[in-house]
Amino acid sequence: MHTQTDELYMQRCIDLARLGGVAVAPNPMVGAVIVLNGEIIGEGYHQLYGGPHAEVNAVRSVLHPGQLSEATIYVSLEPCAHHGKTPPCADLIVENRFKRVVVGSLDPFHAVSGKGISKIQQAGIEVTVGVLEKSCRALNKRFFIYHEQQRPYVTLKWAQTKDGLMDRIRQTNTKREINWISAPETQALVHQWRSEEQAILVGWKTVEKDNPSLTVRAVSGKNPLRVIIDSQLQMPADSQVYTDGEKTIVLNLLRAEVHGNITWIQLPQLDTSTILKALYEQGVQSVFIEGGSQTLQHFLADGLWDEARVITGIHTFGEGIPAPVISGVPTQTFTFSSDQVYQYFRS
């Protein structure tokens, strides 16, 4: 059983965990709070991949370590029980003889799941599991999808005109550039979204027509790994994704090779499940799919998506390439600059 007080401190763990952001990927975001007699005496969060975990930072922040044996430690995710880049946090908790441990959610990773809890309980320490579990899982939705479904968390994104089009009809001699639909301010929002994911994926036709860089140049953040679907290797050799030095994976049917920043991965077929399996095997926990229309529609039709973000601009094209069709009611809508943003979650 847990109390409202437990929920209060677990919410603090969640708030702390969010501070880690994408800097901890592919590890999960985790927060920890240490409480003694109704007062917080220590807290911490996982700040950087490869760095100390939340529990370690929380213990180090306590001024009088001798108090730990009478304290409760709250952790948003089950303490690890294996040696990774850092020692097991379950051992740290046992060594400090905490009076009680409160955990938000079990860890889905097979090397941890249930083992951390078991090790702590075997040491005679009281453990409560499942406090604000839904919120703790939502915090690390990418991590949970990756380990439970053996695929990346998939976010679809596209911009469409008021008349439901994604692009104009391109002539063969058309200059390679983007037909902008959304406002410049909204483009910065999209770059922020990109910075929150490990990879970004488009089809080769998008590269051929738009010659995009697929980076986060409009915001401060880490560029995602670029993934291009190009079955017959038809993408122009002078495309920015080939020439700018950023890491790029080309999924195709013909070639398996690594050269500089480019990795060609040869697959037996290029359906949505095979693509996601290949990204899973590359350790990609989340992918931001930006187009084109056919690529997006395939993931929608196959039900292999978790979230969709649709931007409707103020422009009309009259004729052009239809935007993908998504069913259901948006979970969230808001206006950004002059554009309408619709967010969907797959039920």
Side-chain angles (χ1 to χ4, degrees):
M1 293 291 293
H2 66 267
T3 65
Q4 285 186 324
T5 301
D6 287 340
E7 293 183 359
L8 177 70
Y9 291 126
M10 188 57 68
Q11 184 59 55
R12 177 60 181 164
C13 289
I14 293 170
D15 293 341
L16 285 167
R18 283 199 185 97
L19 298 175
V22 293
V24 305
N27 281 354
M29 294 175 280
V30 183
V33 172
I34 299 172
V35 178
L36 178 66
N37 298 326
E39 291 188 11
I40 294 176
I41 62 170
E43 59 183 25
Y45 65 95
H46 187 30
Q47 298 177 13
L48 187 68
Y49 175 66
H53 287 187
E55 299 93 323
V56 175
N57 287 329
V59 167
R60 287 176 178 173
S61 74
V62 175
L63 293 177
H64 305 290
Q67 296 178 316
L68 295 177
S69 62
E70 294 299 316
T72 296
I73 184 168
Y74 293 81
V75 191
S76 56
L77 188 70
E78 177 182 7
C80 59
H82 70 298
H83 283 270
K85 287 187 174 294
T86 60
C89 291
D91 288 356
L92 176 71
I93 289 171
V94 170
E95 288 166 9
N96 285 283
R97 304 298 305 169
F98 277 93
K99 187 174 183 179
R100 181 173 177 241
V101 178
V102 181
V103 176
S105 173
L106 291 178
D107 191 321
F109 182 40
H110 66 86
V112 180
S113 189
K115 298 181 178 68
I117 299 295
S118 178
K119 182 177 282 191
I120 295 166
Q121 288 176 325
Q122 287 173 12
I125 298 172
E126 179 188 348
V127 180
T128 300
V129 182
V131 177
L132 296 187
E133 182 176 13
K134 187 175 180 180
S135 297
C136 289
R137 286 179 61 89
L139 171 71
N140 286 302
K141 56 191 177 183
R142 296 162 180 81
F143 182 77
F144 278 91
I145 287 288
Y146 181 81
H147 287 289
E148 292 178 347
Q149 299 190 29
Q150 285 77 57
R151 66 165 176 84
Y153 185 92
V154 176
T155 301
L156 309 178
K157 172 265 165 184
W158 69 88
Q160 62 186 31
T161 60
K162 290 179 72 174
D163 49 353
L165 302 175
M166 268 189 73
D167 198 1
R168 301 181 192 275
I169 301 296
R170 306 288 186 108
Q171 305 301 321
T172 54
N173 60 350
T174 301
K175 184 180 178 182
R176 296 177 68 196
E177 60 183 6
I178 300 170
N179 282 318
W180 290 109
I181 293 172
S182 56
E185 296 82 2
T186 309
Q187 292 157 28
L189 172 66
V190 172
H191 285 206
Q192 180 60 44
W193 288 343
R194 290 177 180 177
S195 75
E196 295 166 358
E197 311 301 340
Q198 277 188 275
I200 182 170
L201 180 148
V202 299
W204 76 272
K205 276 284 189 183
T206 296
V207 176
E208 181 189 50
K209 291 190 291 187
D210 297 346
N211 195 21
S213 63
L214 304 176
T215 61
V216 300
R217 60 198 178 279
V219 299
S220 175
K222 184 179 179 181
N223 289 326
L225 170 69
R226 297 179 302 204
V227 181
I228 316 297
I229 303 171
D230 187 5
S231 64
Q232 302 301 312
L233 299 178
Q234 295 168 276
M235 189 164 53
D238 62 349
S239 300
Q240 288 192 78
V241 295
Y242 270 152
T243 62
D244 67 4
E246 293 289 336
K247 286 189 176 180
T248 303
I249 288 177
V250 182
L251 302 177
N252 70 95
L253 302 176
L254 305 175
R255 181 181 182 186
E257 187 180 339
V258 179
H259 183 70
N261 63 302
I262 312 295
T263 300
W264 289 268
I265 297 178
Q266 185 178 10
L267 298 176
Q269 61 221 24
L270 284 170
D271 57 86
T272 55
S273 59
T274 304
I275 289 167
L276 293 183
K277 181 182 178 184
L279 295 181
Y280 171 80
E281 290 172 350
Q282 291 292 313
V284 174
Q285 286 189 7
S286 67
V287 59
F288 195 62
I289 301 180
E290 285 207 48
S293 182
Q294 286 188 1
T295 300
L296 290 159
Q297 195 65 60
H298 281 310
F299 281 92
L300 285 166
D302 293 343
L304 285 173
W305 63 283
D306 301 288
E307 191 174 335
R309 300 170 188 175
V310 183
I311 298 167
T312 300
I314 61 173
H315 302 291
T316 58
F317 285 167
E319 60 179 9
I321 297 174
V325 177
I326 186 169
S327 59
V329 178
T331 309
Q332 181 184 16
T333 65
F334 59 93
T335 301
F336 196 91
S337 186
S338 56
D339 302 317
Q340 293 296 316
V341 181
Y342 302 86
Q343 189 168 18
Y344 300 78
F345 288 91
R346 182 167 171 252
S347 57

